Amino acid sequence: MKLLFICSRNQWRSPTAEQLWRRRSGYEARSAGTSPKARRTVSASDVIWADVILVMESKHRQRLRAEFAHLLEHTPLYVLDIPDEYQYMDEALIDELEARVGAILATLP
């Protein structure tokens, strides 16, 4: 399963999620940001590649829908509700990601 994690600047939250799930058997992971100043900005090819897209905040979902609406029709898109208050690989962030992403993935076929 291909997981695409999205935050704003692709510095802390989404790269942490990418690292966590890229290590797990059965998953491929990428991360990107919605901001033009992101370390890696989300592209149409990222959206097409993904089986599931997980965004950190509702504003990221809105930005994806504004830019890639036609590509998102058949791709599940989830909001994790994880605020931008963590550093890369922060233990509290890892705990949040494990719980929220794990719960979502448990519901998928």
Side-chain angles (χ1 to χ4, degrees), residues 7 10-17 84 86-89 93:
C7 65
N10 191 228
Q11 288 185 322
W12 300 318
R13 294 174 291 172
S14 61
T16 298
D84 190 10
Y86 301 99
Q87 297 293 314
Y88 179 70
M89 298 303 282
L93 174 57

Side-chain angles (χ1 to χ4, degrees), residues 2-94:
K2 297 173 186 171
L3 307 176
L4 177 60
F5 295 96
I6 304 290
C7 65
S8 295
R9 295 186 60 208
N10 191 228
Q11 288 185 322
W12 300 318
R13 294 174 291 172
S14 61
T16 298
E18 177 183 4
Q19 286 304 311
L20 291 175
W21 267 269
R22 133 183 299 185
R23 299 177 189 165
R24 295 177 189 214
S25 177
Y27 296 101
E28 292 179 55
R30 286 185 188 173
S31 66
T34 57
S35 169
K37 295 181 180 183
R39 191 173 54 94
R40 184 173 177 285
T41 304
V42 65
S43 67
S45 63
D46 291 322
V47 174
I48 292 166
W49 171 85
D51 294 321
V52 177
I53 300 173
L54 301 116
V55 301
M56 299 298 154
E57 300 175 55
S58 295
K59 68 181 180 181
H60 304 129
R61 176 180 56 198
Q62 293 165 347
R63 289 180 186 155
L64 286 179
R65 286 183 175 161
E67 190 168 347
F68 304 110
H70 63 290
L71 298 176
L72 292 168
E73 292 175 6
H74 304 291
T75 305
L77 177 60
Y78 298 94
V79 178
L80 299 174
D81 287 320
I82 297 177
D84 190 10
E85 58 188 33
Y86 301 99
Q87 297 293 314
Y88 179 70
M89 298 303 282
D90 182 306
E91 278 300 320
L93 174 57
I94 291 170

